[in-house]
Amino acid sequence: GAGVSQSPSNKVTEKGKDVELRCDPISGHTALYWYRQRLGQGLEFLIYFQGNSAPDKSGLPSDRFSAERTGESVSTLTIQRTQQEDSAVYLCASSDPGVNTEAFFGQGTRLTVV
Amino acid sequence: RKEVEQDPGPFNVPEGATVAFNCTYSNSASQSFFWYRQDCRKEPKLLMSVYSSGNEDGRFTAQLNRASQYISLLIRDSKLSDSATYLCAVNKGSSYKLIFGSGTRLLVRP
């Protein structure tokens, strides 16, 4: 596709359930980022992939959060046993470091835990 | 100290005003610098890259001060539509990873 695609765009889940968020980066982009943004707050870094490996996962807030990337393409962010404080917009971005490090964002997944 | 810092604002200015934001970064090895704009409930979008020689795009001017380790964004003749949050991004030292500031909120009033 032309841009970064995220799905679902909105997700409402019950507390305690697991959720999976998907990100399709721009084709050929080897770098991929996940961020969390709570209402009215700044971007909170979660994890950075270069290819299929994650050299920096320092932002994952707890062991309930995990992410993987396969084929240097699609990435999934999984949140287990969701809590109300997980409610936020989860943004994915990708970049092609071989050309320029600027990152392009998807429209995000708005997660609401009830 | 945070790796990338911005004044959260809000900066409240009248239409037509000139406003400037700074963004400081901690790693002197950083090489790539960007300004992003984020509208309410939207994703951030690239506004402009910041080059060593500075660059200008219409009413927007971005500059880099390596000695003091900050980048700046100047907006001239502010429009109501400039109201948004402006995020700076800097690569982490010699790596490709981008670090984002928390953003500066701009409100342009009639």
Side-chain angles (χ1 to χ4, degrees), chain B residues 4-63:
Chain B
V4 178
E5 289 197 83
Q6 295 183 254
D7 181 342
F11 284 61
N12 193 323
V13 302
E15 267 187 297
T18 296
V19 62
F21 313 130
N22 284 343
C23 164
T24 59
Y25 60 95
S26 62
N27 195 315
S28 60
S30 296
Q31 296 291 328
S32 300
F33 309 90
F34 305 96
W35 282 103
Y36 283 75
R37 171 190 169 129
Q38 185 174 26
D39 292 297
C40 188
R41 301 175 81 86
K42 297 285 191 181
E43 75 276 18
K45 293 186 177 176
L46 181 69
L47 179 65
M48 57 200 306
S49 303
V50 186
Y51 305 120
S52 296
S53 56
N55 51 310
E56 188 173 312
D57 183 1
R59 298 182 293 108
F60 297 81
T61 300
Q63 292 194 312

Side-chain angles (χ1 to χ4, degrees), chain A residues 21-70:
Chain A
L21 312 180
R22 177 187 169 106
C23 172
D24 280 275
I26 293 172
S27 179
H29 279 196
T30 58
L32 186 147
Y33 306 78
W34 282 100
Y35 295 91
R36 179 168 71 179
Q37 189 170 37
R38 292 195 169 103
L39 191 63
Q41 303 296 310
L43 294 178
E44 181 184 355
F45 167 77
L46 297 178
I47 188 168
Y48 163 64
F49 286 92
Q50 182 55 47
N52 291 336
S53 64
D56 189 343
K57 52 179 81 170
S58 62
L60 294 177
S62 74
D63 59 7
R64 297 187 296 105
F65 287 73
S66 63
E68 64 175 22
R69 188 180 186 196
T70 55

